[in-house]
Structure formats: structure tokens, C-alpha cells
């Protein structure tokens, strides 16, 4: 990649903005050094690392990465024998070690969400012993603490005693009566590292001692009294001894750091890498970037935004830059109102960012080839120093691009052929288009030349797009309209900017006839397209409203059905509770009925009919009710299909006995009031009525059901009557054998039990009961 192309496409602005988000100067330097690579595997790996760290930060927050100094040079110095690092530098090393420990621990906790970063925690080695030693020895300002050495603590305690004693005696001297005419001021100070008192110059001879200094005015001498000389000497020696001991401690700490220099340096390199990745993740989060993928040929940037415009903080209209895999030339047309060059730069900058391992400001699903190079001829290339006109400078740049080789490259040309005769410029632009296409490059260019527009519109190898403009206000909409060519609108723009009408009228009359016809046709097409887009937007809005209304209707229907199902369930629970109570009461009465066989049979018949009615009601709840059948006029006869009006039960009429009637529904038989029957259909003429009977009482109440080998639907068809029979037999629990297998049959059985009104609960079988291959259902 040429440096001039990176600058022309504003790539250094992007890396500089990423660098601002780094925590360290070394991380900032690493961010500014980011550069695109033509190695697809390397670029894809870098993108995946950036994307996974971005996702990790979104889920768990940024790593605990405070600002840290670049200590690599200090580490190299510490490795040299005899070199001593000062306290502030050692504190910076300690802060870096703390960052290594914290970031490494963070990544180890969350690395499962970012497998491409799995090697980083091992590279972020912690040095707890060294960090603790530096922490014990130094405060945050780099001063050696008393705790660094017992000898230092004792020595400093002695220094404090000496200093306090000396200051106390000097204070007593100042406060002594009779010295008011000698002492110049009531304070103690230090001159030449010795404690002294201020004495008037005229009375200095009256206080025996050593003059250490005098004031600028000469009015005051700073005198060390004779009694303080010995104490000052003792204090100075103690302080000198302290300095030697502190230097020895710093030497020892430096040696500890130097011994780990190679390992710490390697860890710091990994920390700088994390700093750069975190800065890129912060950039992606700030500008809503996504991960592109590398394609073989196709370019698909949806909702792309130019990063340079984003940095300004204003709203940026996304654009779509699209090139199918079989078409490698994009020709962008339209007026000079902004948009064409931005589209060009957006494409080039997104390609550079992707190949540098940076996420791009575009919608999800972006695809780009991994270009061998990105060349740009954008902007004014005029050079006074090289005696080049604008046209000559552009041609010189194009010569360099052609010489570098265009195969596999992305070439961006802004207004090729500008700066010379329009006919020759258009011809040159067509020649460039043909040459770069034949050379195997992806080419994107902008143009005002009509011949180039028409060529691109007609050539199946080209994609042509127009920058959308409001033709009434001449304001750009900053989006590309594909398979359309845009008018340059030079005269309308000049009129809007205030150029005299006479000039514009003359210019319009001077246009060639074919240009006038083309402009008129383009204007009509533009207005037709705008109208169609308006109608399409209205239709889309209407369809969206219809879809929303349909979704709301479906939600309301589902809600009503759920309410009805809940009501039915509640009714069923109440009815079954009533039947259980009725059974309990009936058993008490049966003792008195044992001698009366007829009464006992009547009671058993009554309870069976009530249970059958409840089972049918449950079936109606589980299966959506059929569409309401048409009630037929005429007399009801045996064999007709009838419905019980107040209960919604449908079935075949079996018998009528005065006010009571019996109907058959599946395996269930019901006794109902005759007055509530409605005729829905006549009996089939050829098929005789089929009468099904309830299972005999001897089969009711079986305690185990084997479903092994059945499909889920078949199993559930057997499960419901089994539970019904078990409930009739007053069983408290039953075993349902479904086996282990894939677990599908077990899940189907347990889902059914969870919603069954027969079932109060269920559990997996104990080992002695069959283990996971058995479900034990507890019945009401």
C-alpha cells in the first residue's frame, strides 16, 4: 500500500482516533502503526480477534486496563549490572505489573467467549512476588518506605529524634529573654543542610556560632549556634547514611526487576497488544462498527458510513456500495453537491480498515475482497514545486498505479480525465475503465462525462449508480440509486447560487441538441422514479401496518383461547373434585345398598357417565373446537349427527327415551336431555351405526403402561385412556414405561402429564422402579 493512498483516503485519521482510545503511550503508538495487509488469512485472523474482543467487552465490560507507562526501555536498563532505577521508575514498573495481573485474570475468566484470544492470558504473566516487594518498599511517589528495611526504619527513627531535639533547642534559644534585639525573626530554617536561626547583621557577633548564609538585603545573617554544630554534624551523617541505605535498597529492587527483564518485557508486549485491541473495540462501540467478511470478488457494503464524517459528531446518512461478483466496475454519477467522492472514499476506507483488522462502520453482513492494494486518485493533485498542472499530476499518479500492477487491486478514480478538453477527457476516462477492467482490478470511479455514463449503462461488466438529489431543491440525499445515471445539474446549481439568468439562458441555448434531449429525458426519469419510490414507501408502510394488525389479531385470538382453556381447566378440576367427593360419599352409602343390586348398578352407571362427560370436555379443551356446523331442520332420528346446545358436545344419536337421549362420541357415550339436541346431519344411508362401549370395569385402574417402541403420537393416544382408567380405579400413582432412548418419548409423556387434569405431579422412577426409563405419575 502506498503512503499517499492511505493519506488520500484519510486512513491516518482513523488510526489516530483509535489511538486516542488506548490507555498507554505504547498502545497509542501501536494503534497509529496499524496498516493494511494483502494476506487474506492474516487479515481475517486479525478481524476475528478484534470482533471477539469487541463482543467480550460488550458482554463483560472492558478489561481493567488503567493508564500504564511504557517501561520497556527501563527494563532493558535494569538488566545491565550496576544500573539503578529511581523510585518513580520502579513505581511505574509496579503499576505495569498490576495491570498485567488484572488484565490476565479478567481474560482468564471470560476467554471462553473469545477463543481466538486464548493465547493472551498465558502471555500476560503475573509477578506477584516482585509486585509485592515493590509495594512494600515504595510509596506511590517513589519514596522508599521505612518498611523496606528494618535498618532503614531504625535509622530514620534516630534521624527524627535528632532533628526534633535540635529544633527544640533552637526554639528555646529564640524564645529566650534578652535576645529580642539579636534574633531577627521567630523561625528556624535550613542553610547548607544545617539548621540555623536568623540573626540581625548588626548583632551577629553577640551570638556565638557559625554564619552559614545571609539574606539578599544583607540585614539578616543565618547563624548556626555553637551548641548546634555538633548536633547538625550528627544529623548530617545520619542523613548521609540514610541516603546510602536507600540507594542500596533501590539497587536491590532494580536487580529484582532486571532478573525478570525478559519475561516482563514479553508480558508488556502482550499488554500493549491488548491495549490496542481494546482501543479498537472502543472505537467499534463508539461508531457502531461490525465485522466484515472477505469474499472472492463481490463487494457488498450496506449502510456504510464514512468514518471521517462520523468524527465530526453529526448525523451521517448511510450508503450502499454494491458490486456483484461478476461485475468489477462501479461508475458513480451525479451533480457536484457532495456524495460521489464520499462514496468512493467510504469504499476505499472500509477496505483499508478491514485489511488492518479494524471493524468497519457498516451494517451486518458486509463483504469485501481482500485487495492486493488500494490505489486512489482523489482530489486536486496539482504541484507547483514539480511544475505540474492538475491534469498532469493526475496522469503522473495514474502512471504509477498502472506500473504497480492492478490485478487484485482496488482502484479509486475521482473524475478521471478532468482538467483537459472534455472530449479528450471522456475518451481518456473510457480508456482507463477498459484497461483497469481488463487488468483484473476492481474499479470505482466518478464522472460527469456523458459518453462514460452511457458506456457504463450499456456495458454488462459495469454497475452504474447515481447520487440521489432532490430535483426541486437540489439538495443531496447522500445515497446511491443503482442502474441509473445522474444529471450533473451544473446550470440549475449555478442558477440556485445566483448566477445571472442571462448567462444561464445563453449557456442552455449553447448546449448540443443531444445533450438537451438527454437532460430532459433524465429529468423525466428522475421525477418518475421519485414518484414510484413515494408510492412504494406508502405501500410498504401499508403492508407493515397490515402485518402489525394481523399480529395483534393473532395475539388477541391466542389470548382468548388461552383464557378459554384456563377456564375449561378450572371447570374440569372443579368437576373432578366433585366426582371424587361424590365417590367418597357414595362408598359410605354403598354399605347400605349391598343388598340392593339394582341400586348399586344404577349408582355405578351414573358415575361412569359423569366421568365420560368430563373426559369429553377435556378432549374438547385439548383439541381446537370444530367449526360450527349448520343446524338442519327436521325431526331428529337415531343415527343422526347431533349437538348438545348448552355443552357443545357433538356425536351420533344412539337412542331416545322420552326426555332423555344417548349419543356416541368416539369411545364415549353420554346421556343428555332430549330437548337440548340439535340435528346437524342425517345418518349415512349405507354405513350402519357403530356403537362403542366403555372399557369394562375389570380393565380400569391398571397400574402400569408400557409405551416402549411407540411413536410419541401413538403413545399419547394410549396414555389418556390409561390415566382415565387409573383415575376410575382410585389409584394414587401409576408407572409409565417409556425407556431411555433419545429422550423424545420421555419428554412427550412428561409434557402431557404436566397439562393433564388427572395428574397432580410426576417424578422420574427410582432405580428399583426402572430409573430414567420410567415416569411415576401421581393422580388426583
Amino acid at each position: 500500500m502506498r503512503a499517499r493512498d492511505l493519506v488520500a483516503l484519510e486512513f491516518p485519521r482513523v488510526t489516530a482516533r483509535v489511538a486516542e482510545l488506548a490507555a498507554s503511550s505504547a498502545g497509542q503508538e501501536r494503534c497509529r502503526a496499524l496498516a493494511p495487509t494483502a494476506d487474506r488469512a492474516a487479515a481475517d485472523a486479525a478481524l476475528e480477534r478484534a470482533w471477539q474482543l469487541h463482543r467480550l467487552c460488550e458482554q463483560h465490560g472492558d478489561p481493567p486496563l488503567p493508564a500504564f507507562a511504557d517501561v520497556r526501555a527501563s527494563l532493558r536498563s535494569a538488566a545491565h549490572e550496576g544500573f539503578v532505577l529511581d523510585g518513580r521508575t520502579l513505581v511505574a514498573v509496579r503499576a505495569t505489573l498490576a495491570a498485567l495481573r488484572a488484565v490476565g485474570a479478567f481474560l482468564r475468566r471470560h476467554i471462553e467467549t473469545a477463543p481466538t484470544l486464548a493465547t493472551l492470558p498465558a502471555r500476560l504473566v503475573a509477578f506477584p512476588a516482585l509486585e509485592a516487594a515493590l509495594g512494600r518498599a515504595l510509596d506511590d511517589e517513589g519514596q522508599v518506605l521505612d518498611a523496606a528495611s528494618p535498618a532503614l526504619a531504625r535509622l530514620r527513627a534516630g534521624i527524627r529524634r535528632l532533628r526534633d531535639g535540635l529544633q527544640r533547642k533552637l526554639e528555646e534559644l529564640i524564645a529566650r529573654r534578652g535576645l529580642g534585639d539579636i534574633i531577627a525573626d521567630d523561625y528556624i530554617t535550613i542553610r547548607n543542610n544545617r539548621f540555623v536561626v536568623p540573626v540581625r547583621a548588626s548583632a551577629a557577633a553577640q551570638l556565638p556560632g557559625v554564619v552559614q548564609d545571609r539574606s539578599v538585603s544583607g540585614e539578616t545573617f543565618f547563624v548556626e549556634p555553637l551548641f548546634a554544630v555538633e548536633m547538625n554534624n550528627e544529623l548530617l551523617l545520619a542523613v548521609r547514611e540514610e541516603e546510602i541505605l536507600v540507594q542500596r535498597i533501590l539497587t536491590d529492587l532494580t536487580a529484582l526487576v532486571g532478573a525478570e527483564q525478559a519475561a516482563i518485557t514479553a508480558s508488556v508486549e502482550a499488554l500493549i497488544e491488548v491495549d490496542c485491541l481494546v482501543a479498537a473495540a472502543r472505537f467499534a462501540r463508539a461508531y457502531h462498527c461490525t465485522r466484515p467478511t472477505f469474499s472472492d470478488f463481490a463487494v457488498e457494503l450496506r449502510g456504510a458510513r464514512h468514518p471521517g464524517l462520523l468524527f465530526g459528531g453529526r448525523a451521517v446518512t448511510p450508503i450502499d456500495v454494491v458490486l456483484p461478483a461478476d461485475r468489477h466496475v462501479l461508475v458513480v454519477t451525479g451533480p457536484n453537491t457532495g456524495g460521489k467522492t464520499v462514496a468512493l472514499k467510504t469504499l476505499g476506507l472500509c477496505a483499508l480498515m478491514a485489511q488492518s483488522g479494524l471493524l468497519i462502520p457498516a451494517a451486518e453482513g458486509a463483504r469485501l475482497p481482500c485487495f492486493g492494494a488500494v490505489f486512489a486518485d482523489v482530489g486536486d493533485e496539482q504541484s507547483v514545486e514539480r511544475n505540474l498542472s492538475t491534469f498532469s499530476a493526475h496522469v503522473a499518479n495514474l502512471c504509477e498505479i498502472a506500473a504497480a500492477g492492478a490485478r487484485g487491486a482496488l482502484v479509486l478514480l475521482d473524475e478521471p480525465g478532468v482538467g483537459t478538453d472534455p472530449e479528450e477527457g471522456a475518451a481518456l476516462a473510457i480508456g482507463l475503465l477498459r484497461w483497469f477492467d481488463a487488468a483484473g482490478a476492481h474499479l470505482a470511479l466518478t464522472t460527469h462525462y456523458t459518453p462514460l455514463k452511457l458506456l457504463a449503462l450499456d456495458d454488462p461488466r459495469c454497475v452504474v449508480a447515481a447520487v440521489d438529489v432532490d430535483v426541486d431543491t437540489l439538495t443531496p440525499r447522500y445515497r446511491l440509486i443503482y442502474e441509473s445515471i445522474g444529471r450533473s445539474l451544473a446550470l440549475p446549481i449555478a442558477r440556485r447560487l445566483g448566477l445571472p439568468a442571462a448567462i444561464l439562458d445563453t449557456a442552455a441555448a449553447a448546449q448540443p441538441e443531444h445533450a438537451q434531449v438527454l437532460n430532459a429525458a433524465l429529468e423525466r426519469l428522475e421525477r418518475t422514479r421519485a414518484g414510484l419510490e413515494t408510492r412504494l414507501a406508502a405501500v410498504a408502510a401499508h403492508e407493515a401496518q397490515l402485518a402489525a394488525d394481523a399480529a395483534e389479531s393473532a395475539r388477541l385470538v391466542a389470548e382468548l383461547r388461552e383464557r378459554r382453556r384456563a377456564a375449561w381447566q378450572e371447570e374440569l378440576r372443579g368437576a373432578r373434585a366433585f366426582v371424587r367427593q361424590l365417590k367418597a360419599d357414595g362408598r359410605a352409602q354403598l354399605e347400605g345398598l349391598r343388598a340392593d343390586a339394582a341400586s348399586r348398578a344404577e349408582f355405578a352407571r351414573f358415575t361412569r357417565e359423569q366421568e365420560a362427560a368430563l373426559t369429553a370436555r377435556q378432549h374438547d379443551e385439548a383439541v381446537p373446537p370444530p367449526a360450527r356446523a349448520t343446524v338442519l331442520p327436521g325431526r331428529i332420528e337415531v343415527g343422526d349427527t347431533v349437538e348438545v346446545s348448552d355443552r357443545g358436545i357433538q356425536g351420533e344419536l344412539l337412542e331416545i327415551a322420552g326426555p332423555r337421549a344417548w349419543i356416541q362420541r368416539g369411545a364415549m357415550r353420554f346421556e343428555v336431555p332430549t330437548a337440548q339436541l340439535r340435528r346437524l346431519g342425517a345418518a349415512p344411508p349405507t354405513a350402519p351405526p357403530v356403537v362403542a362401549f366403555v372399557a369394562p370395569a375389570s380393565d380400569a385402574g391398571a397400574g402400569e403402561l408400557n409405551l416402549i417402541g411407540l411413536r410419541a403420537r401413538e403413545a399419547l393416544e394410549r396414555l389418556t385412556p390409561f390415566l382415565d382408567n387409573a383415575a376410575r380405579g382410585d389409584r394414587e400413582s401409576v408407572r409409565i414405561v417409556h425407556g431411555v432412548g433419545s429422550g423424545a418419548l420421555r419428554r412427550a409423556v412428561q409434557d402431557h402429564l404436566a397439562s393433564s387434569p388427572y395428574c397432580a405431579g410426576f417424578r422420574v422412577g427410582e432405580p428399583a422402579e426402572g430409573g430414567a426409563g420410567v415416569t411415576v405419575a401421581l393422580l388426583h
Side-chain angles (χ1 to χ4, degrees), residues 117-203:
L117 306 175
T119 60
L120 277 177
R123 294 169 56 199
L124 294 167
V125 179
F127 300 87
L130 177 56
E131 185 183 347
L134 293 172
R136 287 192 304 270
L138 301 169
D139 65 12
D140 291 341
E141 301 300 321
Q143 299 298 317
V144 178
L145 298 170
D146 292 357
S149 163
L152 179 62
R154 290 192 299 270
L155 182 57
R156 283 181 172 172
I159 290 173
R160 285 191 291 271
R161 287 194 299 273
L162 284 172
R163 185 180 291 114
D164 292 344
L166 179 56
Q167 287 179 325
R168 186 169 58 254
K169 288 194 173 185
L170 291 176
E171 289 170 354
E172 291 172 356
L173 174 65
I174 292 174
R176 187 182 303 171
R177 290 184 179 182
L179 293 182
D181 295 335
I182 297 175
I183 302 300
D185 210 340
D186 296 338
Y187 66 86
I188 300 170
T189 186
I190 296 176
R191 291 292 187 273
N192 298 325
N193 294 323
R194 305 178 78 84
F195 284 91
V196 296
V197 294
V199 176
R200 300 180 193 278
S202 59

Side-chain angles (χ1 to χ4, degrees), residues 190-507:
I190 296 176
R191 291 292 187 273
N192 298 325
N193 294 323
R194 305 178 78 84
F195 284 91
V196 296
V197 294
V199 176
R200 300 180 193 278
S202 59
Q206 299 180 38
L207 180 65
V210 179
V211 177
Q212 294 291 348
D213 199 2
R214 71 175 183 176
S215 64
V216 176
S217 65
E219 298 290 330
T220 302
F221 285 0
F222 297 98
V223 178
E224 179 186 9
L226 288 178
F227 72 82
V229 172
E230 183 63 29
M231 297 181 72
N232 268 323
N233 288 341
E234 189 176 354
L235 181 61
L236 283 174
L237 289 175
V239 169
R240 178 58 181 160
E241 187 175 350
E242 178 200 15
E243 291 174 353
I244 293 172
L245 187 53
V246 166
Q247 190 69 8
R248 188 180 306 148
I249 291 171
L250 292 177
T251 300
D252 292 343
L253 293 174
T254 301
L256 291 176
V257 172
E260 301 284 0
Q261 179 264 335
I264 298 175
T265 300
S267 295
V268 170
E269 290 287 349
L271 188 63
I272 294 170
E273 184 178 338
V274 172
D275 191 14
C276 182
L277 286 170
V278 171
R282 290 170 177 162
F283 178 92
R285 186 164 61 245
Y287 300 110
H288 308 290
C289 298
T290 63
R291 187 210 193 285
T293 56
F294 290 116
S295 65
D296 292 332
F297 300 106
V299 173
E300 188 171 356
L301 289 177
R302 305 282 183 183
R305 292 154 292 138
H306 190 289
L309 299 180
L310 294 174
F311 299 159
R314 65 177 187 268
V316 177
T317 303
I319 62 171
D320 297 340
V321 182
V322 179
L323 268 176
D326 58 344
R327 302 165 80 178
H328 296 170
V329 179
L330 173 64
V331 178
V332 183
T333 65
N336 287 323
T337 56
K340 298 195 305 297
T341 304
V342 169
L344 225 60
K345 285 188 173 182
T346 300
L347 170 59
L349 198 48
C350 285
L352 294 175
M353 291 174 67
Q355 293 180 218
S356 301
L358 293 174
L359 307 182
I360 65 173
E364 295 281 356
R367 296 191 302 148
L368 288 164
C370 186
F371 298 108
V374 177
F375 299 112
D377 188 63
V378 178
D380 189 358
E381 296 286 339
Q382 187 175 25
S383 174
V384 176
E385 286 128 6
R386 295 174 58 195
N387 194 26
L388 291 175
S389 67
T390 298
F391 178 76
S392 299
H394 280 298
V395 171
N397 187 26
L398 291 170
C399 290
E400 290 184 17
I401 296 173
R407 178 165 296 279
L410 173 63
V411 180
L412 306 172
L413 305 181
D414 190 21
E415 302 289 349
V418 73
T420 187
D421 177 77
E423 292 187 0
E424 290 187 347
L428 177 60
I430 292 173
L432 291 169
L433 186 153
R434 295 293 195 199
W435 190 87
F436 281 114
D437 182 34
H442 277 76
L443 175 64
L445 59 88
T446 65
T447 188
H448 286 291
Y449 294 138
T450 299
L452 188 56
K453 295 178 184 179
L454 297 176
L455 170 67
L457 193 62
D458 184 58
D459 193 329
R461 295 171 298 179
C462 300
V463 173
V464 65
V467 175
D468 192 17
V469 175
D470 188 323
V471 294
D472 295 321
T473 63
L474 300 181
T475 53
R477 295 193 178 104
Y478 299 107
R479 62 189 182 113
L480 298 181
I481 306 299
Y482 284 85
E483 304 305 330
S484 176
I485 57 176
R487 299 168 57 201
S488 295
L489 297 176
L491 298 184
I493 291 174
R495 188 182 304 278
R496 187 173 185 80
L497 295 176
L499 201 63
I503 298 175
L504 296 172
D505 293 342
T506 303

Side-chain angles (χ1 to χ4, degrees), residues 693-733:
F693 296 94
V694 179
S698 61
D699 292 340
E704 178 176 299
L705 175 64
N706 191 332
L707 303 177
I708 293 177
L710 300 180
R711 296 181 179 273
R713 180 179 58 80
E714 298 170 339
L716 297 183
E717 289 176 353
R718 295 191 183 184
L719 182 56
T720 297
F722 167 73
L723 293 174
D724 182 66
N725 289 338
R728 292 183 194 178
D730 296 326
R731 285 190 171 272
E732 296 182 355
S733 65

